């Protein structure tokens, strides 16, 4: 394998976009045609693929290693009298952590889970959205949301909804935060409120996320009309996958 | 529990064959990463949890046997009677594994920002917009920096090879 092959920034971007499935159908076909005919292109793509495997492997390995040893030290130093049982406790902790990583990397995900993971990206949030009076609390929650501290964001937004009333903005972002934290039934409830008003700014986005929540809930067929009603750039790609299953 | 059983199998095998708990953990970790890579490269497609578990335990056992046979371990040992030695599966493509090994090794030589950036993009699958926000850069700067980091990584990998 020739590792010295030059890969320009544009080429790297093109290869990554293809591997992340972020290209249009037309570009995908063009990419694959080139891949079939151009040995040098094959080499470049293969090299980027292998590099990505190496990067991901390093991250997962470090994560496992960092989780492996800390509990072991704690168990042994805090409870010396139970040293004979420590290996079994440590084994249970290590296995539990490895199990979490397995779930994280999706080895055992169902087809619906994989489809959800492929298309779901949390809504990136807003900078400001509400009146001056409520702006501070809303924005603090938005910072929590953007920092992936979804539970804190939900608490703040729900408190705001309790005092000021739940509007479509709050419903949408509470639903988004619930979905991002895998609480699908709660996400349904709040997205549904947005969907009751087809004039809402968030109506189409709520369709997209409501559809994704249905996929997450292993109800892919029911997701089709919602995905179709959204205006998300990936909607045709997702619909195609849903319809060909 | 299914996963406990996996590690238990490896733990029993290693400790029954002159190893200790820490060595069982190490060999289990190493086996896990081998299986993970095989799945990523499409060299192993587990049909279900059972096939994954069986393969993982088998790889771990083979890793431990390799260690016992290595120069690092010169004691004469007797393997558990009911275990049949299995040959390690030959690598379908040695070159690609070697290349990934070098990538893994050289990532540690990158500066902290580079490591962080490529991890966010390739492992956490964050968008360039998100990454740019996190670092306080423009999206174009984030993209340029990512390319610079990748070029640096590739040159380190190639330097060490030549």
């Amino acid at each position: 394998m020739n590792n010295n092959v030059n890969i320009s920034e544009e080429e790297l971007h093109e290869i990554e976009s293809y591997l992340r499935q972020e290209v249009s159908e037309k570009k995908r076909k063009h990419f694959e045609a080139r891949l079939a005919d151009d040995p040098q292109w094959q080499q470049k793509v293969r090299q980027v693929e292998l590099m990505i495997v190496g990067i991901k492997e390093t991250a997962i390995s470090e994560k496992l290693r960092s989780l492996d040893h800390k509990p072991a030290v704690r168990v042994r130093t805090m409870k010396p009298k139970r040293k004979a049982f420590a290996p079994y406790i440590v084994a249970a902790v290590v296995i539990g952590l490895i199990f979490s990583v397995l779930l994280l990397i999706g080895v055992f995900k169902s087809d619906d889970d994989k489809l959800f993971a492929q298309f779901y990206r949390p809504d990136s949030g807003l900078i400001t959205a509400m009146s001056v009076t409520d702006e501070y609390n809303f924005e603090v929650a938005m910072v929590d949301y953007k920092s992936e501290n979804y539970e804190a964001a939900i608490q703040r937004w729900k408190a705001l909804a309790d005092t000021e009333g739940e509007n479509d903005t709050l419903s949408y972002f509470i639903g988004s935060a619930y979905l991002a934290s895998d609480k699908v039934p709660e996400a349904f409830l709040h997205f549904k409120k947005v969907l009751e008003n087809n004039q809402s700014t968030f109506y189409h986005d709520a369709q997209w996320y409501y559809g994704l929540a249905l996929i997450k809930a292993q109800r892919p067929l029911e997701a089709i009309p919602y995905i179709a009603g959204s205006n998300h750039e990936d909607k045709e790609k997702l619909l195609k996958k849903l319809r060909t299953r | 529990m299914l996963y406990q059983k996996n590690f238990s199998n490896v733990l029993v095998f290693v400790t029954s064959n002159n190893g200790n708990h820490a060595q069982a953990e190490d060999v289990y970790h190493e086996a896990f990463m081998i299986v993970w890579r095989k799945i990523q490269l499409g060299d192993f497609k587990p049909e279900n949890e059972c096939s994954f578990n069986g393969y993982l335990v088998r790889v771990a056992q083979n890793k431990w046997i390799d260690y016992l046979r290595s120069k690092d371990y010169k004691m004469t040992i007797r393997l558990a009677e009911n275990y049949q030695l299995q040959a390690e599966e030959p690598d379908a493509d040695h070159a690609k594994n070697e290349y990934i090994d070098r990538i893994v090794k050289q990532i540690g030589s990158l500066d902290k920002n580079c490591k962080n950036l490529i991890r966010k993009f390739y492992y956490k699958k964050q968008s360039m917009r998100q990454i740019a926000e996190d670092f306080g850069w423009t999206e174009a700067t984030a993209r340029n920096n990512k390319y610079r980091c990748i070029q640096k990584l590739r040159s380190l990998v190639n330097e060490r090879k030549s």
Side-chain angles (χ1 to χ4, degrees), chain A residues 184-202:
Chain A
V184 177
E186 292 88 344
F188 278 140
L189 189 71
H190 291 276
F191 284 136
K192 198 78 182 168
K193 290 179 187 172
V194 182
L195 294 175
E196 284 166 5
N197 173 14
N198 63 10
Q199 299 302 309
S200 166
T201 316
F202 298 98

Side-chain angles (χ1 to χ4, degrees), chain A residues 168-169 172 191-211 225-232:
Chain A
D168 61 335
T169 306
Y172 177 75
F191 284 136
K192 198 78 182 168
K193 290 179 187 172
V194 182
L195 294 175
E196 284 166 5
N197 173 14
N198 63 10
Q199 299 302 309
S200 166
T201 316
F202 298 98
Y203 181 74
H204 294 292
D205 289 333
Q207 297 250 32
W208 173 254
Y209 285 108
Y210 192 81
Y226 292 98
I227 298 299
S230 77
N231 54 10
H232 195 277

Side-chain angles (χ1 to χ4, degrees), chain B residues 10 17-18 52 76 79 84 89 129 158:
Chain B
V10 176
N17 290 287
N18 296 54
F52 176 87
T76 304
L79 292 172
Q84 286 237 301
E89 288 180 21
R129 192 180 68 174
N158 293 334

Side-chain angles (χ1 to χ4, degrees), chain A residues 3-5 7 9 13 16 20 47 57 61-62 65 87 90 95 98-99 102 105 108 124, chain B residues 3-4 7 21 25-26 28-29 36-37 99 102 119 121-122 126 129 143-144 146-147 154 158:
Chain A
N3 301 327
N4 287 319
V5 59
I7 302 175
E9 187 169 354
H13 178 65
E16 287 166 353
R20 289 165 74 117
Q47 209 170 101
E57 186 175 310
S61 181
E62 282 176 8
R65 284 285 183 208
V90 174
I95 297 309
I98 288 176
F99 173 61
L102 277 169
I105 64 175
F108 304 127
S124 53
Chain B
Y3 297 93
Q4 196 161 3
F7 182 70
H21 188 275
E25 263 184 23
D26 284 346
Y28 191 66
H29 177 92
W36 181 86
R37 185 188 288 184
Y99 184 73
R102 289 205 304 275
R119 180 172 297 202
F121 185 76
Y122 295 104
Q126 290 184 356
R129 192 180 68 174
R143 203 177 294 281
N144 287 339
K146 176 171 69 66
Y147 183 66
R154 293 182 68 225
N158 293 334

